[in-house]
Amino acid sequence: MTGFDPADEGIRQAKAEAARLGLRISAEVNTFENFEFGPDWSARGVDERLVRLLAERPPAKPDGCIWNGQPVAVGDSACWEESLLRCRVDGWQFTREKCSP
């Protein structure tokens, strides 16, 4: 398998994962625009297909929590059965308070 990534960290991670899985890969630091695909790259066998490796930082997690699929702002609360939960920057906090009906 041949791959490329614009970041050397992406190449390092791909090679480490390939080694862990016992796979052989060829990977280089390059961009889509500059990679030399060659005339027959799409005709290669399944085990030689070209992949684009991409190591990206995950998107920043927005402040707040999720409750029943809906966002809840930091400082707001939600009821779970009779228990009151407060949304903090680092996630839900169980409280000893009871939810009012």
Side-chain angles (χ1 to χ4, degrees):
M1 182 174 296
T2 301
F4 64 91
D5 190 276
D8 56 353
E9 178 62 14
I11 299 301
R12 187 195 68 72
Q13 289 179 16
K15 286 181 175 180
E17 183 68 4
R20 185 184 76 78
L21 297 171
L23 302 173
R24 291 180 303 134
I25 67 168
S26 170
E28 65 182 65
V29 176
N30 212 329
T31 64
F32 183 83
E33 295 79 16
N34 294 324
F35 185 79
E36 182 58 51
F37 287 92
D40 67 341
W41 69 272
S42 63
R44 293 182 179 170
V46 173
D47 58 338
E48 297 179 24
R49 295 202 186 211
L50 175 74
V51 296
R52 182 175 182 201
L53 310 170
L54 189 57
E56 293 182 5
R57 181 178 306 204
K61 180 182 172 287
D63 288 344
C65 303
I66 302 292
W67 187 258
N68 288 331
Q70 300 299 315
V72 177
V74 172
D76 286 352
S77 58
C79 289
W80 181 50
E81 297 183 7
E82 294 181 6
S83 299
L84 184 71
L85 306 173
R86 291 210 189 282
C87 179
R88 297 175 21 154
V89 173
D90 58 347
W92 289 106
Q93 174 190 26
F94 284 89
T95 70
R96 294 179 184 223
E97 300 172 58
K98 299 287 183 189
C99 287
S100 37

